């Protein structure tokens, strides 16, 4: 029987991809740079490379921000100029923040204790969830920057279960990534719920529940 639910944030509760797209396109237009699909794809490739270096400890967070700005604009920038460029982007990204329409109703409907386990930073997720009016739903908010480990490491999931004072077998984890979220949660002994909003063609692995939207979550957890 489920007694607690842990959540991913980005692209599960918070529409990170849609918000980022809107903010980045507005920023590129304001900077007088090409603002099309090619530019968006290039930014995402650069971000993924820099994010791997950040996760591996090869970059600090400030260095991560500067690295993706310098690579994207493809010219030397001082730390001050790179920081300013990124700050202008983040202001427009933040102005575009939005939760998925099904997030608040799903959170309201669940009769369980709830928490967050995210591979982002604590400061970012505190700000986002507070801005979206959803922070009050969660008893605990754990992020990889303070845990010292990150999903899909089972230790990250087990630490979150311990924070909720619930054994993994009675905890469900809801996230949008099959490998990082669902398979990671399953490996740690939690009930794994893969939120596949995109409706991918990939088969559902054994031991993982798959839902296309959060509207079906309450019924699914009640049956676990």
């Amino acid at each position: 029987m489920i007694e607690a639910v842990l959540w991913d944030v980005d692209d599960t509760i918070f529409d990170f991809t849609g918000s980022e797209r809107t903010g980045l396109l507005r920023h590129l237009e304001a900077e007088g740079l090409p603002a099309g699909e090619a530019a968006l794809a290039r930014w995402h490739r650069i971000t993924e490379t820099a994010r791997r270096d950040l996760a591996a400890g090869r970059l600090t967070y400030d260095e991560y921000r500067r690295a993706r700005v310098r690579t994207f604009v493809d010219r030397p920038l001082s730390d001050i100029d790179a920081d300013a460029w990124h700050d202008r982007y983040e202001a427009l990204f933040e102005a575009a923040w939005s939760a998925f329409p099904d997030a608040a109703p799903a959170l309201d409907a669940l009769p369980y204790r709830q928490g967050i386990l995210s591979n982002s930073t604590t400061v970012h997720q505190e700000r986002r969830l507070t801005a979206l009016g959803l922070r009050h739903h969660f008893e605990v908010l754990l992020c990889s920057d303070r845990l010292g480990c990150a999903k899909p490491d089972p230790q990250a999931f087990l630490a979150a279960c311990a924070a909720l004072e619930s054994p993994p077998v009675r905890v469900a984890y809801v996230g949008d990534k099959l490998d990082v979220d669902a398979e990671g949660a399953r490996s740690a002994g939690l009930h794994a719920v893969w939120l596949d909003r995109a409706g991918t063609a990939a088969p559902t692995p054994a031991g993982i529940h798959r839902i296309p939207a959060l509207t079906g979550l309450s019924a699914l957890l009640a049956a676990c």
Side-chain angles (χ1 to χ4, degrees):
M1 184 176 74
I2 300 295
E3 63 183 32
V5 181
L6 284 166
W7 292 83
D8 173 55
V9 178
D10 297 346
D11 285 326
T12 297
I13 295 170
F14 166 51
D15 185 3
F16 182 96
T17 297
S19 301
E20 181 190 45
R21 177 185 178 86
T22 297
L24 182 58
L25 287 174
R26 290 173 178 170
H27 175 60
L28 295 178
E29 290 170 357
E31 298 290 314
L33 296 171
E37 294 302 321
L40 289 172
R42 183 165 178 266
W43 175 258
H44 292 148
R45 288 194 300 271
I46 290 168
T47 296
E48 283 306 309
T49 299
R51 189 170 288 150
R52 286 194 292 271
D53 289 337
L54 175 65
R58 292 187 290 269
L59 294 175
T60 66
Y61 185 71
D62 286 341
E63 290 168 341
Y64 155 78
R65 288 174 18 126
R66 294 164 188 159
R68 61 179 185 166
V69 170
R70 287 169 176 146
T71 304
F72 185 81
V73 301
D74 195 23
R75 67 176 188 274
L77 290 176
S78 68
D79 287 354
I80 291 174
D81 288 341
D83 288 345
W85 196 99
H86 205 285
D87 287 345
R88 293 193 296 275
Y89 154 65
E90 285 196 333
L92 291 173
F93 172 37
E94 185 170 343
W97 284 357
S98 63
F100 287 103
D102 58 1
L107 292 166
D108 288 335
L110 296 182
Y112 315 108
R113 301 174 65 193
Q114 300 185 72
I116 294 292
L117 175 61
S118 169
N119 278 358
S120 184
T121 65
T122 305
V123 169
H124 278 113
Q125 299 303 27
E126 285 280 6
R127 289 185 63 233
R128 286 170 184 164
L129 291 168
T130 299
L132 296 172
L134 301 175
R135 179 63 180 88
H136 65 283
H137 287 286
F138 307 106
E139 294 184 32
V140 299
L141 190 155
L142 296 177
C143 295
S144 57
D145 63 326
R146 295 188 182 174
L147 277 176
C149 56
K151 302 177 298 181
D153 187 336
Q155 293 304 313
F157 293 95
L158 296 177
C161 290
L164 283 173
E165 300 179 339
S166 295
V169 71
R170 294 192 175 181
V171 179
Y173 190 84
V174 184
D176 69 296
K177 292 183 173 60
L178 174 59
D179 53 353
V180 173
D181 295 321
E183 292 179 346
R186 181 188 60 184
S187 296
L190 288 73
H191 295 268
V193 181
W194 175 25
L195 177 60
D196 182 20
R197 292 188 184 277
T200 61
T204 306
I208 291 175
H209 303 284
R210 183 177 187 171
I211 55 176
L214 293 177
T215 50
L217 181 63
S218 182
L220 170 64
L221 296 182
C224 286

